[in-house]
Amino acid sequence: MDINSYSTWLEIDLNAIRHNVAYIKDLTGVEVMAVIKANGYGHGARPAAQAAVQGGATWCGVARIEEALALRRAGIACKLVVLGYTPPSKIPEAIDQQIVVSLIDPELTHSYFEFARINGGILKAHVKVETGMGRLGMLPKDVLPFVKSLRGGPISVEGIFTHFAQADDPDSDYTRKQIRVFNQLLVELESAGLKPPVVHAANSAAVFNYPEAHYNLVRPGNAIFGMSPSQQTPLGPEFKPALMWKARLISVRGYPAGSGISYGSKYITSAQERIGVMPIGYGDGFRRIDNQEVLVDGKRVKVVGRVCMDQCMLQLDAVPGAKVGDEVVLIGTQGSETISVDEVAARWSTINYEVVCGLADRLPRIYLE
Ligand SMILES: Cc1ncc(COP(=O)(O)O)c(C=O)c1O
């Protein structure tokens, strides 16, 4: 692919994903489920899944059945789990495509049961247990009778899992309590001879902070893309960020003092100024806020004036050599300067997850091997 033919693009380093997955696998010593929902956290679901599998992931986790089906259609053959809600009418496709669904409540499971019976075949499932996330899942006290009731039917319970609400706090009594509740349930299931073989709980933060919750499968998303789970749980230097966001200057022009720049003319040049245009705006997932910076010629330059849907303007006085066609870095490194996805997230008053998930589909993704 010819990068010169793009005015903006995402560069995604598949080796970084392979490396990060392999590192987590080594660190934990258990199987890895790469969580690649929301288009692989914006990195592209299929290439991310493929790289994760090459790095040693034996499972991929998604939020919706449509995501799982798209991965199957794209030839991803590993074990696939839908971690969220699956509509009952999709159960036949889940069975046909060997997609594991999550059982989040008894009534819904009953509908799955009906669809599975009519379709024929066995639906593979993991029971989701609500231990304190306050989101989805069976209450611990209901799980044993529930699992018992499924014996001999068309739903095969192959796994059980829970999700942590505060695992990014390395010293969280709340998480320890969630682990205790989950462990207690596992003991009950074991005594009744009903413990499912696959047990998982750890998102990226818990991979690092709660090794006692690794069980026999961990479930990281953010860390496989080289992003820190939170400020309290920064990734070490052994992790490699997988994504850079780049663009080219498409115009560079001198404006006399007193010129208005962009909608509302909120920025007025105070002297003769060199203003560049980069072809990125809120239509690409770049926030429409003030005081943003990007890199040009290895230096930080300011975004000036309102961010438009498809363009925004840069103050280029600090980089007198900058010219049309030069590379701009919004996320990533240029020379000795870096703008991390965490810096952008802080600027946008959000978390790095939201930054990458918001990268628009229209941004070309260039995959580096
Ligand atoms: C159920 C579940 N497991 C695992 C993950 C992965 O979390 P993280 O990206 O923090 O590793 C998520 C992400 O939100 C999730 O919803």
Side-chain angles (χ1 to χ4, degrees):
M1 209 156 325
D2 180 14
I3 282 180
N4 292 317
S5 64
Y6 294 109
S7 56
T8 178
W9 67 98
L10 302 174
E11 259 173 45
I12 291 144
D13 180 355
L14 296 175
N15 251 332
I17 298 175
R18 291 182 194 110
H19 165 89
N20 296 336
V21 169
Y23 185 87
I24 291 173
K25 194 165 179 223
D26 270 7
L27 179 78
T28 60
V30 300
E31 284 191 59
V32 175
M33 178 191 299
V35 177
I36 45 145
K37 56 198 174 124
N39 196 25
Y41 290 47
H43 294 65
R46 188 197 55 80
Q50 211 164 35
V53 168
Q54 286 162 349
T58 39
W59 300 73
C60 283
V62 292
R64 304 196 182 138
I65 182 89
E66 290 78 8
E67 295 179 305
L69 291 169
L71 286 173
R72 277 285 183 262
R73 279 196 300 276
I76 301 298
C78 69
K79 291 175 271 193
L80 274 180
V81 188
V82 179
L83 296 165
Y85 166 81
T86 299
S89 60
K90 293 286 187 187
I91 292 307
E93 280 175 279
I95 294 174
D96 292 347
Q97 296 300 318
Q98 297 279 303
I99 291 165
V100 178
V101 301
S102 295
L103 304 180
I104 58 176
D105 87 24
E107 223 170 285
L108 186 63
T109 304
H110 190 72
S111 320
Y112 291 175
F113 194 94
E114 290 304 310
F115 273 92
R117 213 169 36 83
I118 295 162
N119 185 74
I122 296 289
L123 175 67
K124 292 183 183 180
H126 289 191
V127 176
K128 186 164 194 170
V129 187
E130 164 52 31
T131 58
M133 176 66 188
R135 196 167 67 178
L136 287 179
M138 315 266 310
L139 294 177
K141 69 175 177 48
D142 299 330
V143 172
L144 196 141
F146 171 73
V147 172
K148 209 179 243 172
S149 73
L150 294 177
R151 275 189 309 187
I155 300 179
S156 166
V157 177
E158 303 195 338
I160 185 161
F161 71 108
T162 194
H163 192 51
F164 298 129
Q166 300 184 25
D168 53 327
D169 176 352
D171 185 21
S172 157
D173 284 340
Y174 194 87
T175 306
R176 284 190 279 267
K177 184 167 174 228
Q178 284 195 266
I179 295 170
R180 269 199 311 279
V181 169
F182 191 52
N183 283 345
Q184 173 66 36
L185 173 62
L186 295 175
V187 169
E188 281 171 30
L189 288 165
E190 177 100 71
S191 326
L194 291 171
K195 186 172 144 197
V198 184
V199 181
H200 50 109
N203 56 359
S204 300
V207 161
F208 308 109
N209 295 335
Y210 297 93
E212 67 272 35
H214 288 169
Y215 302 105
N216 54 18
L217 175 65
V218 290
R219 219 173 52 225
N222 220 24
I224 72 171
F225 300 108
M227 295 189 296
S228 296
S230 72
Q231 275 179 358
Q232 286 168 293
T233 305
L235 288 183
E238 53 285 354
F239 281 87
K240 298 182 180 171
L243 180 137
M244 299 226 275
W245 188 1
K246 295 185 174 177
R248 289 192 190 285
L249 287 174
I250 55 167
S251 164
V252 177
R253 180 179 286 163
Y255 283 89
S259 304
I261 303 295
S262 195
Y263 288 119
S265 311
K266 294 290 176 201
Y267 182 81
I268 307 279
T269 52
S270 53
Q272 172 80 19
E273 293 188 28
R274 291 181 78 238
I275 301 292
V277 180
M278 76 171 174
I280 287 174
Y282 56 81
D284 299 293
F286 194 63
R287 284 274 172 90
R288 187 178 174 277
I289 59 164
D290 296 335
N291 297 321
Q292 309 216 56
E293 287 183 348
V294 296
L295 305 178
V296 176
D297 204 12
K299 294 203 177 68
R300 285 173 178 265
V301 304
K302 297 231 175 293
V303 177
V304 291
R306 291 249 163 91
V307 172
C308 309
M309 188 187 290
D310 315 299
Q311 286 96 23
C312 53
M313 276 53 90
L314 309 177
Q315 215 293 355
L316 296 179
D317 284 358
V319 281
K323 57 186 186 312
V324 168
D326 282 3
E327 207 167 274
V328 182
V329 170
L330 293 92
I331 296 174
T333 297
Q334 196 182 53
S336 55
E337 275 287 355
T338 297
I339 294 181
S340 68
V341 66
D342 289 317
E343 178 185 330
V344 174
R347 206 194 282 156
W348 294 358
S349 303
T350 184
I351 52 174
N352 55 26
Y353 296 74
E354 193 184 348
V355 174
V356 290
C357 287
L359 294 168
D361 282 352
R362 74 175 180 176
L363 290 168
R365 273 111 172 126
I366 308 295
Y367 293 97
L368 310 179
E369 290 295 328

